[in-house]
Amino acid sequence: HSFPTRRSSDLGACAVAVASILNGYVKEEEVTVKLLGGDLKIYWDREENLVYMTGPAAVVFDGEIEL
C-alpha cells in the first residue's frame, strides 16, 4: 500500500524536543525543530509540565459533511 507523505508531525516534534532536553542534548527550554513543513519552536515549561509550540500553519484539507 502507498500512503501520502506527511509534511510534519507536531506531536512528534514536541516529543523530540522534550526528550532532547531530558537527555541533555540541548540545555535550553526552547528548541527549534526543523521539519519539511517548516520550523517549529517548542518550549517546555518544566514547572507546569506544559509544552508550547509555535510555527507555520496551513490549510491542508477542506470538506463538507451532511449530518
Side-chain angles (χ1 to χ4, degrees), residues 2-34:
S2 168
F3 296 98
T5 302
R6 289 183 165 202
R7 292 180 51 98
S8 64
S9 168
D10 52 356
L11 179 61
C14 292
V16 166
V18 172
S20 296
I21 295 167
L22 286 173
N23 287 287
Y25 291 107
V26 293
K27 303 293 182 214
E28 303 84 22
E29 276 101 21
E30 184 170 282
V31 177
T32 299
V33 179
K34 297 184 176 291

Side-chain angles (χ1 to χ4, degrees), residues 12-54:
C14 292
V16 166
V18 172
S20 296
I21 295 167
L22 286 173
N23 287 287
Y25 291 107
V26 293
K27 303 293 182 214
E28 303 84 22
E29 276 101 21
E30 184 170 282
V31 177
T32 299
V33 179
K34 297 184 176 291
L35 300 168
L36 293 175
D39 293 356
L40 296 176
K41 297 259 188 214
I42 311 295
Y43 172 75
W44 178 34
D45 182 336
R46 284 182 187 244
E47 289 183 20
E48 297 293 325
N49 197 29
L50 295 173
V51 179
Y52 299 92
M53 175 183 58
T54 58

